[in-house]
Amino acid sequence: MKDERELNAEILRRRMVDNQLIGRGISDPRVLEAFRTVPRHEFAGRASPEESYGDFPLAIGRGQTISQPYMVALMTEALELKGGEKVLEIGTGSGYQAAILSKLAREVWSVERIPELAASSHARLKELGYDNVEVVVGDGTRGWPEEAPYAGIVVTAGSPGVPPPLLDQLDEGGRLVIPVGSGYSQTLAVLEKKEGKIHRRERGGCVFVPLIGEYGWKK
Ligand code: SAH
């Protein structure tokens, strides 16, 4: 039997999906179902369940954050996953976005530059049974060439530009979702590789912590 805390979290999750996601135009049924099942409160450190499902980003330590639920959903939906894909995430953080992706793709690789964050999110994902996710430590601005190509790549930190290795590691028909702009505000860019050419769309403004690395910010 589920305890009271879990039942409460389930109610908060449904309300989050209805108000914050469906209410703002997220419509892919598989994406909505993933947000109804993944326990965001388990990734939210010391935040209460009420805070965990709130309409805002959450601090997870080391100056890093889990994005607002709507932003995670918008980026996830933009990948247009069907279920059979291999995907790459840059910026594991808490592992929440990786857990969402694990419900929507066959295989998820997630790169984190801070070893302590990678270790804790890896442990959390395994404990919660997300067995198709691998967390690796490295500079994600170089991608993760060992497992390329990917049908989808999502970058969950803000970058001054599009790191060329990520475009190289994108499969034909694949999509790269990345916040591009200054250190304070970015635009969510969606780049699609079609017949070897890159098509770019923009999905509005956003604010992310900096992507730090060879093809990102230098400090
Ligand atoms: N997706 C995360 C939130 C990410 S916050 C979640 O769902 O919780 C951004 C993360 O990107 C931070 O953990 C930060 O350490 C990481 N990061 C920044 N630059 C990076 C780089 N070059 N490679 C890999 N990770 C990076």
Side-chain angles (χ1 to χ4, degrees), residues 38-154:
V38 175
R40 182 168 162 99
H41 63 291
E42 300 282 3
F43 295 86
R46 286 194 213 95
S48 69
E50 281 71 19
E51 280 170 330
S52 307
Y53 294 100
D55 194 10
F56 38 77
L58 294 163
I60 54 170
R62 307 288 311 252
Q64 305 302 329
T65 56
I66 317 187
S67 302
Q68 178 191 19
Y70 172 69
M71 191 47 64
V72 181
L74 185 65
M75 295 179 93
T76 304
E77 190 173 62
L79 292 172
E80 298 183 32
L81 300 172
K82 300 288 179 278
E85 300 89 348
K86 186 196 271 195
V87 302
L88 177 68
E89 177 193 23
I90 310 302
T92 317
S94 70
Y96 177 65
Q97 168 90 69
I100 293 283
L101 292 171
S102 91
K103 295 278 187 194
L104 299 167
R106 175 173 50 84
E107 201 178 320
V108 180
W109 289 80
S110 185
V111 187
E112 171 56 53
R113 69 180 271 275
I114 302 177
E116 295 84 346
L117 278 181
S120 58
S121 58
H122 174 83
R124 184 175 302 122
L125 287 161
K126 293 301 147 192
E127 192 187 307
L128 294 169
Y130 296 101
D131 293 327
N132 60 341
V133 182
E134 287 301 330
V135 178
V136 291
V137 177
D139 173 7
T141 69
R142 296 180 183 158
W144 191 254
E146 287 87 335
E147 292 292 327
Y150 305 95
I153 303 179
V154 59

Side-chain angles (χ1 to χ4, degrees), residues 11 13 30 39 54 59 70 80 92 103 111 119 167 173 181 184-185 194 201 203-204 206 212 215:
I11 291 166
R13 257 198 312 279
R30 296 179 70 245
Y70 172 69
E80 298 183 32
T92 317
K103 295 278 187 194
V111 187
L167 288 176
Y184 304 99
S185 77
K194 272 195 205 149
R201 282 179 291 146
R203 295 295 310 265
C206 49
I212 297 169
Y215 302 97

